[in-house]
Amino acid sequence: LGAGITSGFGVVGYKGKIWSIKAGGTEHKMLRPDDGTPAASIELVILRASEYVSKVYYKSSFVDGSNAKPDCQSVNGIKPDKTIAAPMHAQCADCPFNQWGSRVSEDGKPGKACTDVKRLAVVPQKNIRNEALGGPLLLRIPPASLKELKAYADQLMGHGFPYFAVATRILFDMDKAYPRFIFSAIRALSDEEADDVIAMRDDPRTKRITDEAVEFLDSTGEPAAEQAPPVATSLFEQGFQQT
């Protein structure tokens, strides 16, 4: 009965250096359980990474980590996705919004209006199956963190670990005004966790996150917009168990 029928997936956001999860039609800010302040880091397992550097474009001012549906995007970085109703251009390489200088930052520095990102499929390190929130989640790595992501992967491989064999902590660089991530390995996964990761890596939902561009939709088929009150806990570190 379910053949050919797909569903959306949750998205990890980081607006204003505040982590959030958008899933099931609600958005939850991730706060520290002790004092209710924004969590500076999340702990997760990276299941898969897109082989491409993807493109994301917003007509209005882009906010790093936004969970809002982009006006145009391309998972493969070559041409707009089929899900985009009104693409900005037929090919990303020739798109005026993908050219250097098409955007000027608040500090006056030139950039691109269409942002380069890396799409990762992730799960909480303490709840790899994460069925309560639909399984794997999309995390977009912003352009300022792409070199750090590659350096982290190279470091892991230098020690004999593929990126999906460890629990990873992602921390905001508080010395930067813009979102810049610091990646570190927490620990190697256990054999039992590794079995779950292998199963999740081959899950069609995981491959859709890295190979396709269907953002989370609510039951009406429209992008979820409802925002829930902040949850005074780190959803990742608590395995997304809510009270």
Side-chain angles (χ1 to χ4, degrees), residues 2-62:
I5 301 174
T6 60
S7 59
F9 44 78
V11 181
V12 181
Y14 40 89
K15 183 178 180 180
K17 294 189 178 180
I18 299 178
W19 294 103
S20 66
I21 303 294
K22 186 176 184 179
T26 60
E27 183 173 354
H28 301 278
K29 293 181 179 178
M30 299 169 63
L31 307 178
R32 290 169 52 91
D34 52 355
D35 58 8
T37 59
S41 65
I42 53 175
E43 299 180 356
L44 47 80
V45 175
I46 302 172
L47 298 175
R48 279 189 180 275
S50 173
E51 62 179 297
Y52 313 104
V53 174
S54 303
K55 308 286 185 180
V56 179
Y57 171 73
Y58 292 87
K59 290 181 180 178
S60 58
S61 297
F62 175 72

Side-chain angles (χ1 to χ4, degrees), residues 109-194:
K109 294 182 179 180
K112 296 195 304 179
C114 186
T115 305
D116 294 338
V117 298
K118 189 79 167 179
R119 293 169 67 98
L120 306 183
V122 303
V123 287
Q125 66 106 354
K126 290 188 177 181
N127 185 7
I128 293 173
R129 291 288 181 173
N130 193 35
E131 294 300 337
L133 289 182
L137 304 165
L138 166 64
L139 171 61
R140 297 189 188 98
I141 303 300
S145 302
L146 294 179
K147 290 183 179 179
E148 283 71 18
L149 179 65
K150 184 180 186 304
Y152 175 58
D154 291 344
Q155 181 185 35
L156 290 176
M157 289 302 294
H159 288 84
F161 289 96
Y163 64 83
F164 50 84
V166 302
T168 295
R169 177 178 288 113
I170 303 180
L171 177 72
F172 285 120
D173 184 346
M174 294 303 180
D175 293 332
K176 302 295 184 182
Y178 51 85
R180 179 176 179 271
F181 297 163
I182 299 173
F183 300 88
S184 61
I186 303 172
R187 59 178 177 82
L189 300 180
S190 66
D191 290 342
E192 182 179 357
E193 290 173 321

Side-chain angles (χ1 to χ4, degrees), residues 57-139:
Y57 171 73
Y58 292 87
K59 290 181 180 178
S60 58
S61 297
F62 175 72
V63 177
D64 285 306
S66 172
N67 283 335
K69 184 178 180 179
D71 295 291
C72 190
Q73 70 175 7
S74 171
V75 169
N76 61 21
I78 299 174
K79 60 182 180 180
D81 300 329
K82 295 180 180 179
T83 57
I84 301 300
M88 298 296 104
H89 200 277
Q91 300 291 329
C92 295
D94 299 326
C95 179
F97 299 107
N98 190 39
Q99 308 306 315
W100 195 258
S102 57
R103 175 194 178 200
V104 178
S105 65
E106 293 181 359
D107 57 3
K109 294 182 179 180
K112 296 195 304 179
C114 186
T115 305
D116 294 338
V117 298
K118 189 79 167 179
R119 293 169 67 98
L120 306 183
V122 303
V123 287
Q125 66 106 354
K126 290 188 177 181
N127 185 7
I128 293 173
R129 291 288 181 173
N130 193 35
E131 294 300 337
L133 289 182
L137 304 165
L138 166 64
L139 171 61

